[in-house]
Structures are given as structure tokens and as C-alpha cells.
Amino acid sequence: MYRKHIYILGLLLAISLTGCHSSKQSVDFGDDIYHSSREEQEIIHEKDSKKIKKHEGSESTYRYLSDRLGISVNSHDNIELYETAARWLHTPYKYGGNTRKGVDCSGLVCNIYKSVYHKTLQRRSIDIFQKNCSKISKRDLREGDLVFFVTGKNKGKINHVGIYLKKNKFVHASSSTGVVVSSLNDPYYRKIYYSSGRVN
């Protein structure tokens, strides 16, 4: 009987402790929204980095990145760009954020460009467009180019940026889902698309 009481008390304690989580962040995993704590996010990023490192330099790199990013990755692509983008996937959105604990759209672009291309860009999306890029046509987009958008009530004023990958797909930090790969063919992004740019 004593053991039974101890077991019940232990069970109740365990249940009560599971309610003590840190603040939650919404992260996009495909079509599902998964809510995870900052600690869980750090574990996810660590696992991602280990998986990418494990697959580096082998044919399985392409398969892994293709599955991770939802696009076909092959030897003709800039693998460093795709690996870096994959490491940032699912990072929660944070206005003004600059780390994998939270990042905004221009923060993501600046970090990836610094890591992959060793280039330092302006911090705001509109400044990146005006000071770091040459304007190009949407049909001339190629891997690593930038795509710019105007969202909400900011008529004609750029306030969102992403990095073009291939097949009309781009990686960006969405304010609603965090870092994801989206399609320029999506009706929403077609509507708010403003311009494309190639970094000088």
C-alpha cells in the first residue's frame, strides 16, 4: 500500500512538472505547425547540423538536402548555400533577431550571405535592395539572388526579403512560421512580390 501511494505521488509530480515549459515558439514543419520550446529548438538545430555534417561529401548529401528543403538538389548546385539554408530551417521568427533562437527576414539573409558568400549586407531589406543589389527580372533569377516583397499596408516600400534557390523556391523568415522554403508561385507571394536583385 505504501509503495502504491509513493507511485501515485511520483506520477502526480511528473504530470505537474510537464506543465512548466518555457515560452513556446511556432515553427513550421511542412503543413503542420509544431509548438516547441527554445530548448527543443536548440536540440533540433544541433541534430540538423549533425545530420548535414554526417552526409557531407557523399551522394546522400543531395538526397538529404532535397528531402529537407523540398527541392531537388544535385552536384550542379551551390551545396554550401543549401546546407546553410537547411541549418536555419524552422528557426522561429523574431523581429530584429539575428540568431537561431530567433531571426527576421533580413537577419537570415545577412547571416547566410556572410557565411556562404563572405559578403556583409545592409541590415534592412529595403537597404539591401537599394544599396547592395542590381535590379534583375524575375525570369532571370538564379541561385543566391534575392527576392523582395511589400507586405501589409507598406505601399511600395520593401519590407520582406528571401534568398532564391531554384525552381521558383526561396528560403526566408516568415513572421508567421519562421524560416521556411516557399514558392514564388504561391498566390500570396505572387501578390506581394515587388522585385528581384542580384548582390553586387
Side-chain angles (χ1 to χ4, degrees):
M1 190 71 176
Y2 176 76
R3 285 183 180 176
K4 186 176 180 181
H5 283 304
I6 293 296
Y7 173 77
I8 291 170
L9 284 172
L11 186 60
L12 289 172
L13 180 61
I15 292 170
S16 67
L17 287 174
T18 57
C20 301
H21 288 299
S22 57
S23 60
K24 299 287 180 181
Q25 301 289 338
S26 290
V27 186
D28 183 74
F29 280 82
D31 295 325
D32 300 318
I33 300 297
Y34 172 68
H35 297 278
S36 64
S37 67
R38 288 182 184 273
E39 290 81 2
E40 289 169 324
Q41 279 301 313
E42 289 174 8
I43 291 169
I44 289 168
H45 287 307
E46 188 178 342
K47 285 181 178 178
D48 287 344
S49 294
K50 285 179 180 177
K51 284 179 183 176
I52 291 168
K53 190 171 183 180
K54 178 183 176 183
H55 291 287
E56 263 177 345
S58 65
E59 281 297 318
S60 59
T61 302
Y62 309 132
R63 289 194 298 273
Y64 176 76
L65 292 174
S66 297
D67 181 62
R68 190 95 174 92
L69 297 165
I71 47 179
S72 177
V73 179
N74 57 57
S75 59
H76 299 294
D77 297 318
N78 181 339
I79 299 305
E80 188 176 359
L81 171 62
Y82 288 87
E83 287 178 339
T84 305
R87 287 188 180 100
W88 279 92
L89 277 185
H90 314 315
T91 298
Y93 180 88
K94 180 182 178 182
Y95 181 75
N98 203 39
T99 71
R100 289 182 194 168
K101 290 184 178 180
V103 71
D104 62 16
C105 65
S106 55
L108 174 70
V109 169
C110 286
N111 271 285
I112 291 179
Y113 252 79
K114 187 72 173 176
S115 175
V116 177
Y117 301 106
H118 311 292
K119 291 186 176 182
T120 301
L121 305 182
Q122 298 291 319
R123 186 57 178 84
R124 296 192 310 155
S125 53
I126 189 169
D127 292 332
I128 293 173
F129 179 72
Q130 293 175 345
K131 299 177 181 180
N132 296 132
C133 289
S134 297
K135 188 176 179 180
I136 61 171
S137 168
K138 195 177 188 178
R139 66 175 175 269
D140 293 328
L141 277 167
R142 65 189 187 203
E143 187 181 76
D145 287 336
L146 303 181
V147 283
F148 297 89
F149 305 88
V150 175
T151 66
K153 298 178 181 178
N154 294 296
K155 300 295 182 184
K157 186 177 180 182
I158 292 168
N159 63 347
H160 190 63
V161 61
I163 300 177
Y164 186 77
L165 299 175
K166 64 191 298 189
K167 305 285 187 183
N168 284 314
K169 298 292 183 70
F170 66 103
V171 63
H172 64 126
S174 163
S175 60
S176 59
T177 54
V179 179
V180 290
V181 173
S182 299
S183 174
L184 289 172
N185 293 330
D186 182 287
Y188 174 71
Y189 292 109
R190 280 209 312 265
K191 181 180 178 182
I192 66 168
Y193 171 83
Y194 181 83
S195 187
S196 299
R198 183 161 296 150
V199 175
N200 301 320

